[in-house]
C-alpha cells in the first residue's frame, strides 16, 4: 500500500493542464551557454570561448562522448548574442555570419546527429537583452516558423525591451505559433521573472498552459550568494510555486553553475541536491571541456538524477528551517519513495543533526531504508520513530533517498530512457 502524506494527495489532484506538446514530462536536462559564456563575441581573441558554432559543437561533442547524454543531458542550448545585428532582406532572423558560418540549421543537424537536441534564444521585444534583434508581436509567427525550419527543439524567450501588455499578448501568441509549426518545440518563458514572479500579477495557471518551463526570479551568477538568494526566494514562496509545477510545466530556478569558479565542493553538492528536490530543469552552464572529475561526479550522480527525473513530477519543498540554520527539504517520489535534503546555511563547522521521520511529521512506510545520495551508505530497517544523525557541512547538504524496506532496489544503474521505477 502506498502511504502518501495528505497534503500531497491534495496537490496531486489539483495539478491542472500543462502545455500540450508532449514535451518535458520530467524536468529537462542539458547545457545552456549563458551563465558561463555570456555575450562573449570576441572570436578573434578568444576563439574557444566566444559565442560561435564551434562552442556549441564542442559542447555537443562532450555531451555525446563523456557520458552526459546517456544520463539524460540532451539539450544543447544557445542563449543571447547568436544573431546578426540585422534581419535579412525578408525580415528573417539570421545567425551572425562570422561566428556561425554554417548557420543554425547546420548546427541543429550536427547536434541531432549526436542524438541531442538544439535550443535557441529569442526575446519578446524590440531587442534582446544583449542588443540583438528581438521579436515584436508582428514577427512572432515568422520567427516561430524560422526556428522550426532550422530544426530547433526548444526556444527560450526572454523579455527585455517590451512592456507588460506586450508580454501578456506575446507569450501566448508565441506558444500558439510554435504549435502551429507542427514541430514539437519546448517553450521556456522568461515572462514571470519580469513581473516579480508572484500572483496576482503572474498567472501560473496560464503559464502552465502555454510554457514548458519558466524563469521566475533573478538570473543566476557564479557565486554562492546568488544560489542562496534563489533558494531562499523559492522557499519563501513555495506555497505559490510548489503546486504549479508538474509534468510538462516546471519552475526554473536557472542554470547549474557547478564546474565554474564560484562554488565550493559542498556548495556544488547543495545546488545539485536542491535543484533535484525542486524538480528544476538541469541545464548546466559550465565548460564541459575543462570540468574536473569531482565536479562531474556531482552532476552525473545517477541516484540524484533519478530523483530529479521522478515520473510523478511533484516539486519538493522546505519542511522546516530551524534556529540552528538547518533546513529540511523533502520531495515525494513515485513508488512510495522520497528524497530528503538536510541543508546547512551555517557558516561555522559541521553540524550534527538528529531527527526521525516522525519528528519531521513525514508519513513513511512501516519499515524503510535510507541511502545517502552522495556517500552511498545505506541505513537499513528504520521505523518512523527511529532516530538518525546526519552531519552537515557548512553550506553543504546531506541528501537521503528513502524507500520501503521490502523493495528490491535495482535498476539504479540502468541508463535512461530504459530505467524503470523501483520494482516492488
Ligand atoms: C499542438 O496543440 C495540440 C492541441 O493542444 C496538440 O495536440 C499538438 O500535439 C500540438 N502540436 C505541437 C507540434 O506542439
Ligand atoms: C507597450 O508597448 C507597446 C508597443 O511598443 C505600445 O504600443 C503600448 O502603448 C505600450 N503600453 C503601455 C501600457 O505602455
Ligand atoms: C489565469 O489563467 C487562467 C487560464 O488561462 C484563467 O482561466 C484565469 O481566469 C486566469 N486567472 C486570473 C486571475 O486572471
Ligand atoms: C509536527 O507537528 C507538530 C504537531 O502538530 C508541530 O508542533 C511541529 O511543529 C511539526 N513539525 C514539523 C517539522 O512540521
Amino acid at each position: 500500500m502506498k502511504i502518501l502524506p495528505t497534503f500531497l494527495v491534495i496537490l496531486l489532484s489539483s495539478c491542472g493542464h500543462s502545455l500540450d506538446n508532449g514535451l518535458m514530462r520530467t524536468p529537462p536536462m542539458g547545457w545552456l551557454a549563458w551563465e558561463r559564456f555570456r555575450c562573449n563575441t570576441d572570436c578573434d581573441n578568444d576563439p574557444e570561448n566566444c559565442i560561435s558554432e564551434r562552442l556549441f559543437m564542442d559542447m555537443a561533442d562532450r555531451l555525446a562522448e563523456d557520458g552526459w547524454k546517456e544520463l539524460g543531458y540532451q539539450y544543447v542550448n544557445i542563449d543571447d548574442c547568436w544573431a546578426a545585428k540585422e534581419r535579412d532582406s525578408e525580415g528573417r532572423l539570421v545567425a551572425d555570419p562570422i561566428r556561425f558560418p554554417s548557420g543554425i540549421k547546420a548546427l541543429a543537424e550536427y547536434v541531432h546527429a549526436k542524438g541531442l537536441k538544439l535550443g535557441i534564444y529569442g526575446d519578446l521585444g524590440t531587442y534582446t537583452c544583449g542588443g540583438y534583434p528581438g521579436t515584436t508581436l508582428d514577427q512572432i509567427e515568422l520567427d516561430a516558423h524560422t526556428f522550426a525550419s532550422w530544426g530547433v527543439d526548444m526556444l527560450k524567450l526572454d523579455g527585455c525591451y517590451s512592456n507588460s501588455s506586450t508580454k501578456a499578448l506575446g507569450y501566448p501568441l508565441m506558444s500558439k505559433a510554435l504549435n502551429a509549426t507542427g514541430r514539437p518545440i519546448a517553450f521556456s518563458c522568461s515572462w514571470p521573472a519580469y513581473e516579480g514572479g508572484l500572483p496576482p500579477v503572474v498567472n501560473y495557471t496560464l503559464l502552465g498552459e502555454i510554457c514548458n518551463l519558466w524563469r521566475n526570479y533573478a538570473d543566476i551568477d557564479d557565486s554562492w550568494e546568488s544560489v542562496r538568494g534563489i533558494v531562499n526566494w523559492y522557499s519563501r514562496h513555495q506555497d505559490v510555486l510548489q503546486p504549479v509545477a508538474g509534468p510538462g510545466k516546471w519552475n526554473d530556478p536557472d542554470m547549474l553553475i557547478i564546474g565554474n569558479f564560484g562554488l565550493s565542493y559542498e556548495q556544488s553538492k547543495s545546488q545539485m541536491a536542491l535543484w533535484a528536490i525542486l524538480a528544476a530543469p538541469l541545464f548546466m552552464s559550465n565548460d564541459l571541456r575543462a570540468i574536473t572529475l569531482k565536479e562531474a561526479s556531482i552532476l552525473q550522480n545517477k541516484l540524484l538524477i533519478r530523483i530529479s527525473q521522478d515520473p510523478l513530477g511533484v516539486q519538493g519543498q522546505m519542511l522546516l528551517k530551524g534556529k540552528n540554520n538547518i533546513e529540511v527539504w523533502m520531495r515525494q517520489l513515485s513508488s512510495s519513495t522520497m528524497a530528503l535534503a538536510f541543508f546547512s546555511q551555517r557558516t561555522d563547522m559541521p553540524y550534527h543533526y538528529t531527527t526521525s521521520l516522525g519528528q519531521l511529521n513525514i508519513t513513511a512506510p512501516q519499515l524503510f531504508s535510507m541511502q545517502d545520495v552522495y556517500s552511498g551508505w545505506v541505513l537499513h530497517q528504520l521505523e518512523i520513530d527511529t532516530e538518525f544523525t546526519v552531519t552537515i557541512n557548512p553550506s553543504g547538504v546531506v541528501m537521503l533517498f528513502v524507500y520501503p524496506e521490502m523493495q528490491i532496489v535495482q535498476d539504479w544503474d540502468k541508463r535512461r530512457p530504459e530505467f524503470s521505477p523501483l520494482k516492488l
Side-chain angles (χ1 to χ4, degrees):
M1 191 176 93
K2 284 187 193 176
I3 306 161
L4 296 176
T6 44
F7 75 86
L8 182 78
V9 174
I10 292 160
L11 292 174
L12 284 176
S13 57
S14 67
C15 276
H17 300 289
S18 63
L19 176 55
D20 194 9
N21 58 9
L23 300 171
M24 299 185 170
R25 306 305 294 172
T26 62
M29 299 173 65
W31 185 91
L32 174 57
W34 183 257
E35 196 290 314
R36 177 63 187 257
F37 295 95
R38 306 283 166 142
C39 194
N40 176 2
T41 54
D42 186 4
C43 293
D44 290 337
N45 295 308
D46 198 6
E48 287 192 359
N49 300 301
C50 64
I51 300 302
S52 69
E53 62 185 35
R54 175 176 173 184
L55 179 70
F56 296 99
M57 289 162 81
D58 279 357
M59 293 307 157
D61 293 349
R62 298 279 55 81
L63 287 174
E65 290 165 32
D66 297 346
W68 301 99
K69 181 179 79 171
E70 288 75 10
L71 292 165
Y73 291 96
Q74 56 172 347
Y75 285 92
V76 182
N77 287 3
I78 303 169
D79 206 276
D80 203 352
C81 307
W82 60 271
K85 287 274 182 168
E86 304 292 337
R87 288 172 176 261
D88 73 6
S89 58
E90 289 168 58
R92 289 174 304 205
L93 289 169
V94 278
D96 183 281
I98 311 281
R99 294 181 284 116
F100 293 83
S102 316
I104 304 295
K105 190 173 199 293
L107 182 57
E109 279 162 13
Y110 184 90
V111 164
H112 292 159
K114 306 246 163 199
L116 301 165
K117 293 174 188 285
L118 185 73
I120 204 162
Y121 167 101
D123 185 286
L124 185 69
T126 333
Y127 300 102
T128 71
C129 301
Y132 292 79
T135 302
T136 54
L137 292 179
D138 54 317
Q139 291 165 328
I140 285 174
E141 281 183 31
L142 173 64
D143 290 355
H145 184 265
T146 303
F147 296 144
S149 74
W150 288 341
V152 159
D153 304 293
M154 171 172 171
L155 170 65
K156 172 179 173 182
L157 192 62
D158 213 338
C160 280
Y161 298 106
S162 64
N163 59 31
S164 297
S165 18
T166 299
K167 289 186 179 70
L169 291 170
Y171 280 95
L173 278 178
M174 180 59 90
S175 186
K176 263 200 198 126
L178 291 174
N179 179 279
T181 67
R183 182 176 177 82
I185 299 178
F187 190 28
S188 166
C189 302
S190 302
W191 184 14
Y194 285 86
E195 306 290 355
L198 296 172
V201 182
V202 173
N203 183 341
Y204 278 105
T205 310
L206 174 61
L207 281 167
E209 290 167 2
I210 65 167
C211 313
N212 293 111
L213 62 156
W214 47 79
R215 286 280 317 286
N216 33 28
Y217 190 60
D219 282 5
I220 200 161
D221 283 318
D222 193 4
S223 78
W224 178 238
E225 187 190 4
S226 171
V227 172
R228 266 189 74 198
I230 292 168
V231 168
N232 290 343
W233 189 83
Y234 264 74
S235 60
R236 197 172 327 127
H237 301 296
Q238 63 183 7
D239 292 349
V240 168
L241 302 174
Q242 194 274 346
V244 300
K249 44 174 194 174
W250 309 104
N251 290 300
D252 181 5
D254 213 1
M255 294 157 272
L256 294 166
I257 56 167
I258 299 157
N260 295 328
F261 311 102
L263 301 188
S264 70
Y265 182 56
E266 293 302 321
Q267 292 162 351
S268 299
K269 290 198 286 185
S270 294
Q271 193 193 15
M272 189 69 182
L274 291 167
W275 261 233
I277 291 274
L278 286 171
L282 302 180
F283 289 122
M284 305 180 279
S285 190
N286 51 15
D287 189 346
L288 295 174
R289 299 165 301 195
I291 193 165
T292 66
L293 279 176
K294 212 172 161 186
E295 294 156 344
S297 72
I298 298 171
L299 292 159
Q300 296 192 344
N301 182 306
K302 285 178 190 159
L303 182 50
L304 238 162
I305 291 172
R306 184 207 160 91
I307 290 166
S308 151
Q309 299 295 298
D310 185 80
L312 268 189
V314 175
Q315 182 174 321
Q317 58 191 330
M318 188 174 79
L319 297 180
L320 94 110
K321 182 188 183 83
K323 284 204 184 73
N324 51 19
N325 260 327
I326 303 293
E327 300 177 5
V328 183
W329 291 67
M330 194 266 274
R331 179 174 170 191
Q332 193 69 46
L333 307 170
S334 54
S335 305
S336 300
T337 65
M338 73 185 96
L340 285 175
F342 298 87
F343 171 46
S344 172
Q345 297 224 27
R346 296 176 69 89
T347 54
D348 52 358
M349 60 191 283
Y351 189 86
H352 305 292
Y353 189 89
T354 300
T355 190
S356 67
L357 294 198
Q359 285 166 44
L360 296 168
N361 294 343
I362 294 173
T363 311
Q366 220 168 22
L367 204 58
F368 59 92
S369 300
M370 304 196 298
Q371 175 158 31
D372 184 309
V373 167
Y374 284 117
S375 75
W377 61 252
V378 181
L379 219 51
H380 285 290
Q381 307 237 327
L382 286 88
E383 291 174 41
I384 188 92
D385 292 320
T386 311
E387 289 198 329
F388 57 91
T389 300
V390 288
T391 302
I392 317 147
N393 294 334
S395 64
V397 74
V398 171
M399 191 179 199
L400 303 175
F401 177 66
V402 182
Y403 57 96
E405 178 70 28
M406 297 313 289
Q407 278 182 359
I408 300 157
V409 178
Q410 56 185 41
D411 291 349
W412 287 1
D413 282 352
K414 274 210 190 155
R415 299 185 157 193
R416 281 178 29 134
E418 302 84 6
F419 87 53
S420 51
L422 293 177
K423 302 257 177 352
L424 285 169

